[in-house]
Amino acid sequence: MTSSAPSAAPAAPSASVLDLAPVVPVVVLDDAADAVPLARALVAGGLPAIEVTLRTAAALDAIAAIASEVPDAVVGAGTVISARNVTDTVAAGARFLVSPGWTDTLLDAMKASGLPFLPGVSTTSEVVALLERGVTEMKFFPAEAAGGTAYLKALSAPLPQARFCPTGGISLASAPSYLALPNVGCVGGSWMVPGDAVAAKDWARVERLAAGAAALRA
């Protein structure tokens, strides 16, 4: 961990993560030095909620840097799959947690963190089990492979209390069809943070793509 990590857990977002922006960028960073300029570009484009996935060794340092240096960003941790992940990301300054799936142990750890969290689901039974535990906001993953808009639309009538952030295979072209559903608050995607733009440190391009994604709310 870098010395920029906050000493205490930051305040949770005042609004639901699902309502901060129409799109939550799903960010994979190999170099923590890219975290701050990338986050600033996303925020400038209108996407304040940023999910940094725990898929690389740089992830925790990236979360800490954004939490410390980009106050307008609401940085979260993605690919949270263990209680240790929860502890580490809270210490780094994450303000929300996202998992690709869930177990009772992981759910208990996320609840105990005091942060907003989006446990991943892909079946009706998983949704019902979370509702039984008092959780109404979820990640639908992998969205396209798990049934896409047709599946979510089918869930909206029997389970209207469940709200989703679909993630997985969603693009600028397909995002509007998800956002039009009554049980979708936002979508997760990575098209506004293309690997070649990050590698080239083309933050102006990232900002333009973020602005296009932010405009989907209208």
Side-chain angles (χ1 to χ4, degrees):
M1 289 300 302
T2 64
S3 59
S4 60
S7 59
S14 57
S16 164
V17 175
L18 299 184
D19 298 325
L20 292 174
V23 181
V24 175
V26 179
V27 175
V28 181
L29 286 172
D30 293 310
D31 186 352
D34 292 330
V36 168
L38 177 66
R40 286 175 176 158
L42 291 170
V43 171
L47 301 180
I50 302 167
E51 176 188 335
V52 177
T53 68
L54 301 182
R55 302 180 193 175
T56 68
L60 289 175
D61 284 344
I63 291 169
I66 295 170
S68 176
E69 300 182 43
V70 192
D72 291 332
V74 180
V75 63
T79 322
V80 174
I81 59 172
S82 69
R84 176 61 183 269
N85 286 162
V86 173
T87 301
D88 288 347
T89 54
V90 169
R95 296 176 64 187
F96 65 93
L97 308 171
V98 183
S99 68
W102 66 278
T103 65
D104 287 331
T105 299
L106 179 57
L107 190 67
D108 289 343
M110 290 193 292
K111 281 189 169 185
S113 74
L115 298 181
F117 58 92
L118 298 173
V121 298
S122 60
T123 69
T124 306
S125 294
E126 290 171 319
V127 175
V128 172
L130 284 176
L131 292 174
E132 191 175 76
R133 295 285 299 271
V135 178
T136 60
E137 297 187 345
M138 311 167 196
K139 171 179 177 174
F140 180 59
F141 177 82
E144 287 288 281
T149 56
Y151 194 96
L152 286 171
K153 185 176 181 180
L155 289 181
S156 64
L159 302 171
Q161 63 271 55
R163 297 182 71 216
F164 301 95
C165 174
T167 305
I170 298 176
S171 66
L172 178 62
S174 62
S177 61
Y178 283 93
L179 293 168
L181 298 174
N183 55 351
V184 170
C186 64
V187 300
S190 57
W191 73 85
M192 74 298 301
V193 285
D196 59 341
V198 175
K201 304 187 188 307
D202 189 349
W203 311 127
R205 180 184 172 198
V206 171
E207 182 177 342
R208 289 194 300 271
L209 292 170
L216 293 174
R217 178 70 79 195

